[in-house]
Amino acid sequence: MSGISYRILEIDLSSRQSKVIEYGEETLRKYFGGSGLGSSILLDRFEPSLDPFHPQNPLIFMTGLLTGIPVPCGCRISICTQSPLRIWGEANAGGYWGPELKFTGFDGLIISGQAKEPSYLWVTPEGVEIRKAGALWGKGTFETTGKVLAETDPHARVAAIGPAGENLSFMAAVMTGGPEARVMARSGPGAVMGSKNLKAVAVKGDRKPAIVDLKILQEATKEFLPNLKFVEGLSRFGTASVIESKEAAGVLPIKNFTQFHWDKASRIGGPALVAGFLEKHYGCFSCPIRCGKEVKGKEGPYAGVVGHGPEYETLSAFGSLILNDDLNSLIHLNFLCNDLGLDSMSAGITAAFAIEANLRGYLREKDGLDLQWGNARAVGDLLEKIARRQGIGAILADGVEKASQKLGKETEAFALHSKGLEVSLSNPTPTVSLALSWATSNRGACHLEGFSHQVEGGVPFAEAGYPKGVDGISGEGKGRLTARMQDYMAVFNALGLCKFLLFARLSHDTMCRWIKGLAGWDLTGENLMEVGERIYNIKRAYNVLLGVDAEKDRVAPRILENLRPGKPISEGRKLFFDMRRDYYQARGWDANGIPKKEKLISLRLEKAAKKIGLG
Ligand code: SF4
């Protein structure tokens, strides 16, 4: 008996029926859980006729193998679906929603169909109730969460969409925790949820997972805890702690990636945030790092609201990227994104794109907004319009790729995305593998799917084969580095562990002992990496079915320029394509980025090989 229930609850919103699906240990050993297990289910159910907003496009919430287990940072939940970007869609959040789902006795939820009217789900160990949510439609996620808690159980956990999801913005996120926002943000899962007329999912359970050998698990944890000394900065200042060091290294993105240094960075960094706005430090389920910073809004519509403080990515997106050094406004814009249910990274990149398009004369419809560098008030108004697809918001609601198609080819150069997903907030100039990681990430330009730039930034990841940092300027060896780190990150997603454990030098040995303690399985680091590689390849196979190949593994011209600043763009282009060629070779894919049959077979992905036409 272990803490794994091997049960998934499937809910069809059209027929209002639900059923329990049971799966076996072999499947779990192959994919672990989280977006690993989710990818296997989504590939099995793939039909060419399914577009992202087709009622039968499944929306999957899946806990990781270690989610809800008392190991450090065992808290993550993955959401998987076909993204509105028409690629593999996936987002991931910490907090308490994932563990609470596991406590219902279900490892995950598969939601298909479309409710006839706005609805929310109330999931408990007894099953699911589909309840009316007409009165919640149009409301922000903060109010929605409060009302659902009042109607269900004050100790339940709620995942909700805001107006952005209802209006099918490709940047729509699924928020958990109300103002304490832990967000499933990237690749637009909130829009798929909105297309199903599903406003929220509340979960509450009391089935704490059983553990095969608690002693093994606790001993591994005890030996690991001294490593927390490596993440003291995260504990003190949160992810905002790196704003100033990133600026010094030329990594902080400034003025839509056109500048490399900004003398105002310290005004929006972790020490300033903590000194001026901190209410308390807090953490996700079972987290000893506690990087969360609860802050209080001091001005504007969110004055007095206490909630999750802006992370590094949000501070960059609405700070350095648009030349805004006012922390008050940054807290406001962070709350606004969370309440509207918007991915703050995509929204920030889109706002910077809109400002640049405006100043360069490509944005004819201004809708009364004075879109200038540093004008945070106009950006706040823009976010409201984006979430509701009003006026100028209708042009920008689906992110920079779609907006650029509407505004003209000249804007492509500064529409910063890969496969339609806006880039994360780091400049790849001194860490060139980041551009490759963005281009080849299954869900689009994501930094967390690879994290290879951290190795280039000097962080050793011995477990992926890099006992010390590597040079960040050269393209040498970056194909292999990127592939290895992507595989490694896939393991974290599947286990439901927070990736910040990497900075605390989490070892394969500790991970394997946690799994042994939970499930009784004997695994090695090599086994873990094989699972990661399998997961990465099955997601790629899903993307191949949607037409992804080398043509889609690209970055915007401005990113190519930034790879070799001050030099002709041809140098950045050559560097990028050389790295990509090496990457395909390291992966065992062909020159067009399609996994080879022998690679898929070696990973026991025979069904995936067949699905993509490899016999
Ligand atoms: S380190 Fe931060 S994000 Fe990760 S689990 Fe802890 S509180 Fe959550």
Side-chain angles (χ1 to χ4, degrees), residues 498-516:
C498 176
K499 289 174 183 170
F500 293 156
L501 289 173
L502 279 170
F503 301 119
R505 317 282 201 266
L506 179 67
S507 71
H508 278 165
D509 177 61
T510 304
M511 290 162 121
C512 290
R513 286 161 73 197
W514 284 344
I515 295 170
K516 168 105 175 153

Side-chain angles (χ1 to χ4, degrees), residues 274-352:
V274 165
F277 300 90
L278 183 76
E279 290 289 301
K280 67 174 188 198
H281 302 274
Y282 73 105
C284 303
F285 172 86
S286 190
C287 175
I289 301 172
R290 295 165 62 80
C291 79
K293 302 292 157 257
E294 192 176 88
V295 299
K296 191 178 200 173
K298 291 200 172 156
E299 289 175 10
Y302 293 96
V305 173
V306 175
H308 187 69
E311 302 283 350
Y312 161 79
E313 300 283 343
T314 311
L315 290 166
S316 314
F318 294 115
S320 58
L321 196 72
I322 63 164
L323 302 185
N324 169 31
D325 62 354
D326 174 18
L327 256 181
N328 244 308
S329 73
L330 286 164
I331 288 170
H332 167 74
L333 293 172
N334 182 50
F335 279 177
L336 190 58
C337 280
N338 292 342
D339 204 15
L340 294 169
L342 275 172
D343 170 356
S344 62
M345 294 163 66
S346 284
I349 294 280
T350 302

